[in-house]
Every structure is written in C-alpha cells, then in structure tokens.
Amino acid sequence: MEILRYDTGATMSRVTEVNGLLFFSGHVAAQGETMEEQANALFARLDELFAQFGTHKDRMVMATIYMPDIAQKEEFNAVWDKWITPGCAPARVCVQAGLGDTPYRMEISVIAAKVTD
C-alpha cells in the first residue's frame, strides 16, 4: 500500500493520501474577523484544495472542527449549512480547543474520498 504525502515539513504533511482517501491537516481562514467571514474564507480555500487534489466537498467523509469558543458553533453552522450540498454532509465533530495565540475562530481537518473515473 502506497502512502503519498504532500507539502511535507518537519512535523506534518498538509495532505496525506492512502487507498483513495485524502487526509487534509488542520486548515484555518487566511482572512476575516467574524466567524462568518472566516468560515466563508475557509470553505473557499477548502474548495480550492479539494479541486487541486482530485476531490470535492461532496466527497468528504469526516470533518473535525476545532473552535476556541464553542459558543460560536451555531454561527459557524449557519455558514456550514449553506456550503454543504444537501444530503452530502460528512460525519462531523465540533470541539472546543485552544488554537494558541491566534485570531482564528476555527480550524478544520477533513478526510475526503478521491473522485474516481
């Protein structure tokens, strides 16, 4: 079984691929101050990454969302629900976790199946 690693650094790979599954490490929003702005920016970035690695948001099988303030979960969900294709929501967990001394309101890790022809 071959394991492919992309954008590998000393401590992690940005994406790992094995058996038709893509494991995307934690991603944060590059811009925005509010939860809505950051979530929209993050989902746009994920759409780009998915296309780059041969998958699509409808192929997500698992998402883990980390938030420093879980009280913002409903605000996040409002944006998430607009982004997700109805009927294609992945298994998901959302947990409160410190993200260090950063302005980020969420970080997301995703597992997605590659699109096969």
Side-chain angles (χ1 to χ4, degrees), residues 82-99:
K82 290 177 187 172
W83 179 62
I84 291 295
T85 303
C88 293
R92 193 189 100 162
V93 62
C94 187
V95 297
Q96 182 164 317
L99 299 181

Side-chain angles (χ1 to χ4, degrees), residues 4 12 22 26 28 33 39-40 48 67 77-78 82 86 89 93 96 101 109-110 113-114:
L4 302 172
M12 61 173 267
L22 295 159
V28 295
E33 293 184 24
N40 281 321
E48 291 171 358
M67 292 181 177
N77 282 342
K82 290 177 187 172
V93 62
Q96 182 164 317
D101 186 23
S109 295
V110 173
K114 281 194 89 164

Side-chain angles (χ1 to χ4, degrees), residues 28-29 34 40 48 52 61 64 73 81 89 94 102-103 107-108:
V28 295
T34 68
N40 281 321
E48 291 171 358
Q52 179 183 350
V61 295
T64 304
K73 182 179 176 185
D81 291 345
C94 187
T102 68
E107 180 174 347
I108 187 169

